Amino acid sequence: MFQLLRDGQPRTRADLAAITGQARSTIAARIDLLMASGLIAPAGEASSTGGRPPVTFAFSPGARIVLAVDLGATHARLAVTDLASNVLAEIDAPLSISEGPETVLAWVAETGEKLIAAAGRDLKDLVSVGVGLPGPVEHSTGRPINPPIMPAWDDVDVPAILGKTFDASVLVDNDVNIMALGEHRTAWPTVSDMLFVKVATGIGAGVISDGELRRGAQGAAGDIGHIAVPNATDTPCRCGNIGCLEAVASGQAIAGALKKEGLEALNSGDVVTLVRGGDLMASHAVRQAGRDIGAVLAACVSLLNPSMIVVGGIIAEAGEHLIAGIREIVYQRSLPLATQHLRIVTSQARGQAGVLGASAMAIDHVLSPAAIDALIA
Amino acid sequence: MFQLLRDGQPRTRADLAAITGQARSTIAARIDLLMASGLIAPAGEASSTGGRPPVTFAFSPGARIVLAVDLGATHARLAVTDLASNVLAEIDAPLSISEGPETVLAWVAETGEKLIAAAGRDLKDLVSVGVGLPGPVEHSTGRPINPPIMPAWDDVDVPAILGKTFDASVLVDNDVNIMALGEHRTAWPTVSDMLFVKVATGIGAGVISDGELRRGAQGAAGDIGHIAVPNATDTPCRCGNIGCLEAVASGQAIAGALKKEGLEALNSGDVVTLVRGGDLMASHAVRQAGRDIGAVLAACVSLLNPSMIVVGGIIAEAGEHLIAGIREIVYQRSLPLATQHLRIVTSQARGQAGVLGASAMAIDHVLSPAAIDALIA
């Protein structure tokens, strides 16, 4: 019954009983419980054919808040949103994930509390916290699993640690998954099959299939950085294999190749700076990275038949070179049936994709049918 | 309410009202409609604490039947099943799909009618027909889309043609998709993320993610035959690209390579015969095909993180060589997180996978919540 109200339309008790087939008494009791929880509120009176007009009720997204946390390798972005993912307050700060879970999560807890206060809200309004981390995460437990760039976080119970500060459910996922979710919900909510690709220091993807984020058996779906690039050179990868996409086409790989040519390129940001400054060698390198990424995405397109590929991450912000290279190979290397309606575009949510996705993940959890059933049981 | 009963457990009206929260009067009315449709039946009396013991109701899978049709390039298999996919009658016959939709579908209609009669059932018991075709199908309309090996079938309205004979819904899908569905439902129903790979004259896959078959935006998901094999030779493919999996590792490709070496190999069946006869060259060729398929599946594993790969199709029946080659490369070429719980096995449903999947697809349609809601509205 509550799921019906999530569209924001006001409805009367009689409307809800008619649509759900549930008894009037059941509906009335559930409305009382949802009112008490703050999730719905009276929304005026319906027109009446006579007698006292009945009261309508509607979803009340502003009544509660969630904290959205997007942790990257070297930065953090936090946002306080309402239950419709409207951002009420936001902060972006440098923060190294390698400082370890105690330091980083203490900062998140303290900054989160301040941000909630800055948004003029109370800690007791907080119903859920969504967190994105730059490594593999077992979504069901919220624990990172052998995360390569943040080894100190392995198997850390992130929900338990944040639960000391926040009396709210804590959901954790990989950063690329929450970016995919944020991009999908805010920019392309009606697209059922979409791939989101992040091209930054590393390369990863998020899979949206039949409208939902798919995480796979261990939460490792979308981990495309170590797929072999067809006909790639023998570039060794830190994973021990050769020719992995990340070893050939990541921001770090591009920077390394440009540095060998004598350019000042230590990281992804330097690559973007060079391309924006008009450096031809850097532009060509990014375009070739796009082609290599395109070769791997062509395989992904054959397997999943998405109608949209969205490219995000800092390298995607270096102009059209990356996406031009991706388009060139994907359209050449996939079958016509899979590409005739395929769009390949750059991210609309950009830097906000992560926090918007973390917010959506947290909201989906607290407003899920199971959670609402427990609330009104 | 009906979905609850699909587990086969008998329940009273009071049980159903308590579980669903629906009014007793609603439950009673719906039970009457479901009884009239034959989908549920009284299943004895519940124990009582006093007074007249209440009647229980249970799903009645034998009350209605579906016709399952698995059409391959050169064979057809038809089965009549009940609503729990129990096979009541079955027939396997040579039939060339290239004879075109009129001839083939007329044969299906005539043979289907006879098979229903042979199962001792009446045409009016038939509620749905499920059909698998060896080419891309737009599942929502049941029409093949540019199918390479059956061009005369392009855009043919298969449901309309079979609808002339059968007063039942007709669902159509790609043959590998229905094999994946049949294998999943009968052998691995609790596995949430699974890839099914068919290795026969061609190569294709079916994607099960979060427990459901995923078809992609145009129904072309799983079309892995034209993914480029990493470091493949420059083998040209009939699609116009080079190094496609199907050009390198399909039954047809293996037969072609063996023929060049002077062996009598015209098709997949000949390859199986040679391997079973102990021919070393044929065994090695199948193992190498397994490695090439493994290289493509390693990419699929990185993207989707399945916990199981099931290998079917005629080449999988040539002993362990194919799967040994697949295992060798998938375990070497994927990240440990994605492979630590990954099992790679041969098909359990084997030749029956297609009809069992076609049956499951047809049943899912007629017993879907939307279909049942329409029935009891």
Side-chain angles (χ1 to χ4, degrees):
Chain A
M1 177 202 100
F2 174 72
Q3 305 306 321
L4 281 171
L5 290 171
R6 280 187 72 180
D7 66 5
Q9 289 289 340
R11 292 186 181 81
T12 65
R13 291 186 183 91
D15 292 339
L16 292 165
I19 299 170
T20 62
Q22 290 174 336
R24 282 293 292 271
S25 57
T26 307
I27 294 289
R30 290 180 175 184
I31 281 184
D32 290 347
L33 287 163
L34 287 167
M35 292 266 286
S37 76
L39 292 179
I40 67 170
E45 294 174 345
S47 59
S48 169
T49 52
R52 194 162 62 101
V55 179
T56 64
F57 300 88
F59 177 40
S60 186
R64 298 302 169 100
I65 55 173
V66 304
L67 178 63
V69 181
D70 177 19
L71 299 177
T74 57
H75 84 279
R77 189 187 287 241
L78 268 64
V80 175
T81 80
D82 67 13
L83 297 183
S85 287
N86 296 306
V87 174
L88 308 176
E90 191 173 12
I91 187 171
D92 201 354
L95 179 72
S96 178
I97 199 82
S98 61
E99 288 186 24
E102 278 185 39
T103 307
V104 169
L105 293 177
W107 181 88
V108 166
E110 192 188 329
T111 310
E113 287 188 295
K114 285 182 194 163
L115 200 62
I116 290 167
R121 303 301 296 253
D122 198 289
L123 207 53
K124 71 170 171 36
D125 292 341
L126 185 75
V127 288
S128 190
V129 180
V131 181
L133 292 174
V137 173
E138 187 177 63
H139 180 62
S140 58
T141 61
R143 292 168 182 262
I145 315 171
N146 297 319
I149 67 162
M150 41 188 276
W153 290 72
D154 185 31
D155 205 35
V156 166
D157 191 342
V158 175
I161 295 175
L162 289 179
K164 288 178 199 162
T165 303
F166 303 115
D167 182 23
S169 55
V170 178
L171 287 296
V172 190
D173 203 345
N174 171 267
D175 61 342
V176 187
N177 277 351
I178 63 164
M179 288 174 76
L181 192 60
E183 179 77 23
H184 183 251
R185 291 296 176 83
T186 55
W188 324 98
T190 62
V191 171
S192 67
D193 296 82
M194 178 183 121
L195 275 178
F196 178 87
V197 186
K198 177 189 180 187
V199 186
T201 303
I203 297 176
V207 176
I208 305 280
S209 177
D210 285 337
E212 302 284 337
L213 184 66
R214 304 297 168 188
R215 297 182 168 93
Q218 275 85 41
D223 204 353
I224 65 169
H226 299 278
I227 293 179
V229 178
N231 306 313
T233 55
D234 292 345
T235 315
C237 182
R238 60 185 164 81
C239 79
N241 269 311
I242 54 162
C244 294
L245 182 60
E246 208 162 278
V248 173
S250 65
Q252 201 59 49
I254 301 170
L258 294 176
K259 188 158 174 287
K260 274 191 190 164
E261 301 290 336
L263 295 178
E264 282 187 40
L266 294 176
N267 56 40
S268 306
D270 295 341
V271 173
V272 174
T273 304
L274 282 166
V275 172
R276 286 193 176 152
D279 186 279
L280 269 183
M281 194 181 287
S283 302
H284 285 162
V286 168
R287 185 163 184 134
Q288 182 54 42
R291 291 193 191 100
D292 291 332
I293 294 166
V296 165
L297 290 180
C300 301
V301 165
S302 293
L303 182 63
L304 289 176
N305 182 209
S307 61
M308 178 162 252
I309 294 176
V310 182
V311 186
I314 187 169
I315 300 293
E317 298 184 13
E320 283 289 300
H321 306 284
L322 183 74
I323 209 161
I326 291 175
R327 285 189 182 126
E328 180 184 328
I329 303 300
V330 169
Y331 288 123
Q332 172 191 319
R333 191 60 247 198
S334 307
L335 292 178
L337 176 60
T339 54
Q340 63 186 354
H341 299 296
L342 176 67
R343 282 188 295 166
I344 304 177
V345 301
T346 47
S347 168
Q348 303 295 301
R350 300 169 59 111
Q352 252 191 345
V355 286
L356 292 174
S359 165
M361 172 173 68
I363 294 166
D364 282 354
H365 179 76
V366 292
L367 300 187
S368 72
I372 296 294
D373 283 354
L375 187 71
I376 62 184
Chain B
M1 177 202 98
F2 174 73
Q3 304 306 321
L4 281 171
L5 291 170
R6 281 187 70 181
D7 65 6
Q9 289 290 339
R11 292 185 180 83
T12 65
R13 291 186 183 90
D15 292 340
L16 291 166
I19 299 170
T20 62
Q22 290 174 337
R24 283 293 291 270
S25 56
T26 306
I27 294 289
R30 289 179 176 185
I31 282 186
D32 290 346
L33 287 163
L34 287 167
M35 292 264 287
S37 76
L39 293 179
I40 67 171
E45 294 174 345
S47 58
S48 168
T49 52
R52 194 161 63 101
V55 179
T56 65
F57 300 89
F59 177 40
S60 186
R64 298 301 168 100
I65 55 172
V66 304
L67 177 64
V69 181
D70 177 18
L71 299 177
T74 57
H75 84 279
R77 189 188 286 242
L78 267 63
V80 175
T81 80
D82 67 13
L83 297 184
S85 287
N86 295 306
V87 174
L88 308 176
E90 192 172 10
I91 187 170
D92 200 354
L95 179 72
S96 178
I97 199 81
S98 60
E99 288 186 25
E102 277 184 40
T103 307
V104 169
L105 293 177
W107 181 88
V108 167
E110 192 188 329
T111 309
E113 284 187 303
K114 285 182 193 161
L115 200 62
I116 290 167
R121 303 301 297 253
D122 199 289
L123 208 54
K124 72 171 170 38
D125 292 341
L126 184 75
V127 288
S128 190
V129 181
V131 182
L133 292 174
V137 174
E138 187 177 64
H139 180 62
S140 57
T141 62
R143 291 168 182 263
I145 316 171
N146 297 319
I149 68 163
M150 40 188 276
W153 290 71
D154 186 30
D155 205 35
V156 166
D157 191 343
V158 175
I161 295 174
L162 289 178
K164 287 178 200 162
T165 303
F166 303 114
D167 182 23
S169 55
V170 178
L171 287 296
V172 190
D173 204 345
N174 170 268
D175 61 343
V176 187
N177 277 349
I178 63 164
M179 288 174 78
L181 191 60
E183 179 77 21
H184 182 251
R185 291 295 176 82
T186 56
W188 324 99
T190 62
V191 171
S192 66
D193 296 82
M194 179 184 121
L195 275 178
F196 178 87
V197 185
K198 177 189 179 186
V199 186
T201 303
I203 297 176
V207 176
I208 306 279
S209 177
D210 285 337
E212 301 284 340
L213 183 66
R214 305 296 168 188
R215 297 182 169 92
Q218 276 85 40
D223 203 353
I224 66 169
H226 299 277
I227 293 180
V229 178
N231 306 313
T233 55
D234 293 344
T235 315
C237 181
R238 61 184 163 81
C239 79
N241 269 310
I242 54 162
C244 294
L245 182 59
E246 209 163 277
V248 174
S250 65
Q252 201 57 50
I254 301 169
L258 295 175
K259 187 157 176 287
K260 274 191 189 164
E261 300 291 335
L263 295 177
E264 280 187 42
L266 292 176
N267 55 40
S268 306
D270 296 340
V271 173
V272 174
T273 305
L274 283 166
V275 173
R276 286 191 176 154
D279 186 279
L280 268 183
M281 195 183 285
S283 302
H284 286 161
V286 168
R287 185 162 183 134
Q288 182 55 41
R291 292 193 191 100
D292 291 333
I293 294 166
V296 165
L297 290 180
C300 301
V301 165
S302 293
L303 182 63
L304 289 176
N305 182 209
S307 61
M308 179 161 251
I309 295 176
V310 181
V311 185
I314 187 169
I315 300 293
E317 298 184 12
E320 283 290 298
H321 306 285
L322 183 75
I323 210 160
I326 291 175
R327 286 189 181 125
E328 181 185 327
I329 302 299
V330 169
Y331 289 123
Q332 171 190 319
R333 190 61 246 198
S334 306
L335 292 178
L337 176 60
T339 54
Q340 63 187 354
H341 300 295
L342 176 66
R343 281 189 294 167
I344 304 178
V345 301
T346 47
S347 169
Q348 303 295 302
R350 299 169 58 113
Q352 251 190 346
V355 286
L356 291 175
S359 164
M361 172 172 71
I363 294 166
D364 283 355
H365 179 76
V366 292
L367 300 187
S368 71
I372 296 295
D373 283 355
L375 187 71
I376 63 184

